[in-house]
Amino acid sequence: MGVVHPLYEGGGPTVAHVEAEAQRFSFEAFTRHQFFTDVNRWIVDRVIEPARHRIVDLGCGPGAVTKLILERVGPEQEVIGIDPSESALARARAAIHSRAVEFLQGSAEWVSRLVSSADAVIFLNAIHLVPDKASVIAEIRKSLNAGGVFAFNTTFFNGAYVEGTSRFWRRWVVRAAQVLRERGIEVQRTAHAVARQFLSADEYAELCVRAGFGRPKVDLIQIEMTPESLEDIGRFSLFIEGALPGVPLQDGADALKEGLKRAQEETGFHNVPRNWLECVATAV
């Protein structure tokens, strides 16, 4: 999911600089791994069907999931990609040339003002970034027809760690913080980070029911993260902010890269299994 940045005035950074910084620490490198495509295709394959004519790809970013949706739609179906980042939408428009898709700038917080009477809203790898999940899920319900589906997934939830692997994740963060201290940088443990607010599958299900959905179908998909994918997630801004709050992004990325090596040596983990939460809820 993209991020809208405020305009800066005076001697502060320009919008172009902020967008470049966001791209440098974006989720995009992580999305190029095959398992990422697989967990997204898993849910798209279960949601896209001919009877669902209007499909929203919410938080579409540069269009990775949009491409998967377009693989399955027919000539009578319409796809609307929505993202707050104009630069991400520009990349999506440059990469995807299909009459079936339209890209709009907007936010999950007011999706019903952009699209009404949708048959499916797909919101992949982004719901964990939403501060007020209850209001956003209610907003998504407003945009859907009765019988429409809301599908989302995330690997940032309470239950993501496969049994026996939590020590690796803890050790990685501990060693990254150690690297920072060696370099004279302290981690602000009291700092707040949205990426650390993990909900459980049951908590997500309850939010859906309260918003006017039936109890969602919930699945856990286990994938294996390679050393390369771990390095890529360690360069993602929200992962850095969650693991090392208050640390400048470049310093955090560098520390996580070195901390990863130390954690791998100490724990013996190189390929690390991790769960993806996949949910499909039907509007009642």
Side-chain angles (χ1 to χ4, degrees):
M1 184 179 182
V3 178
V4 173
H5 297 283
L7 294 177
Y8 286 82
E9 298 179 351
T14 65
V15 172
H17 174 83
V18 171
E19 288 285 5
E21 185 82 348
Q23 180 60 21
R24 189 153 61 99
F25 298 104
S26 78
F27 199 54
E28 201 164 339
F30 188 71
T31 70
R32 299 189 186 109
H33 295 277
Q34 184 58 46
F35 64 75
F36 187 84
T37 300
D38 292 344
V39 296
N40 291 330
R41 182 174 276 123
W42 189 95
I43 205 165
V44 167
D45 287 351
R46 283 156 178 76
V47 169
I48 305 304
E49 56 184 53
R52 293 177 179 142
H53 297 287
R54 176 175 275 193
I55 300 147
V56 175
D57 180 11
L58 187 59
C60 66
V65 172
T66 315
K67 291 177 184 176
L68 298 180
I69 295 170
L70 289 170
E71 289 175 4
R72 292 189 60 84
V73 299
E76 303 302 318
Q77 291 173 287
E78 173 189 8
V79 181
I80 302 168
I82 297 175
D83 199 89
S85 170
E86 189 54 55
S87 66
L89 291 173
R91 295 198 301 280
R93 292 184 184 109
I96 298 172
H97 304 282
S98 170
R99 293 182 179 180
V101 65
E102 175 186 12
F103 291 105
L104 302 174
Q105 186 175 23
S107 167
E109 283 77 7
W110 35 279
V111 62
S112 72
R113 285 180 254 168
L114 294 171
V115 180
S116 60
S117 302
D119 298 303
V121 173
I122 296 175
F123 192 33
L124 301 190
N125 305 292
I127 196 164
H128 53 272
L129 303 179
V130 173
D132 188 347
K133 295 172 179 59
S135 66
V136 164
I137 293 172
E139 178 70 10
I140 289 168
R141 174 62 189 90
K142 285 167 60 179
S143 74
L144 282 164
N145 296 319
V149 296
F150 167 42
F152 65 93
N153 67 5
T154 179
T155 191
F156 296 100
F157 72 102
N158 186 0
Y161 298 163
V162 174
E163 186 176 356
T165 66
S166 58
R167 67 189 181 92
F168 162 78
W169 299 101
R170 288 196 301 268
R171 187 61 58 87
W172 184 9
V173 173
V174 166
R175 291 302 175 230
Q178 180 185 57
V179 171
L180 288 169
R181 286 195 300 273
E182 291 168 0
R183 298 172 183 177
I185 302 170
E186 287 296 325
V187 179
Q188 299 174 21
R189 286 295 170 198
T190 57
H192 176 75
V194 171
R196 304 278 298 180
Q197 296 178 340
F198 288 6
L199 299 186
S200 68
D202 284 343
E203 287 171 322
Y204 274 117
E206 279 302 317
L207 291 179
C208 290
V209 170
R210 276 187 251 152
F213 293 94
R215 194 156 193 91
K217 185 178 186 327
V218 176
D219 290 275
L220 294 183
I221 305 297
Q222 186 174 308
I223 58 88
E224 194 163 273
M225 293 184 68
T226 62
E228 295 78 16
S229 68
L230 290 166
E231 283 195 25
D232 286 339
I233 199 67
R235 289 193 292 268
F236 175 42
S237 60
L238 268 298
F239 188 86
I240 298 166
E241 290 166 2
L244 304 170
V247 173
L249 291 179
Q250 188 60 62
D251 291 322
D254 292 343
L256 283 165
K257 184 175 181 178
E258 177 58 30
L260 176 61
K261 293 177 186 174
R262 298 182 188 184
Q264 287 169 329
E265 290 171 2
E266 292 175 24
T267 64
F269 278 106
H270 292 277
N271 292 333
V272 184
R274 188 175 172 109
N275 291 323
W276 234 270
L277 177 67
E278 311 265 6
C279 293
V280 179
T282 302
V284 295

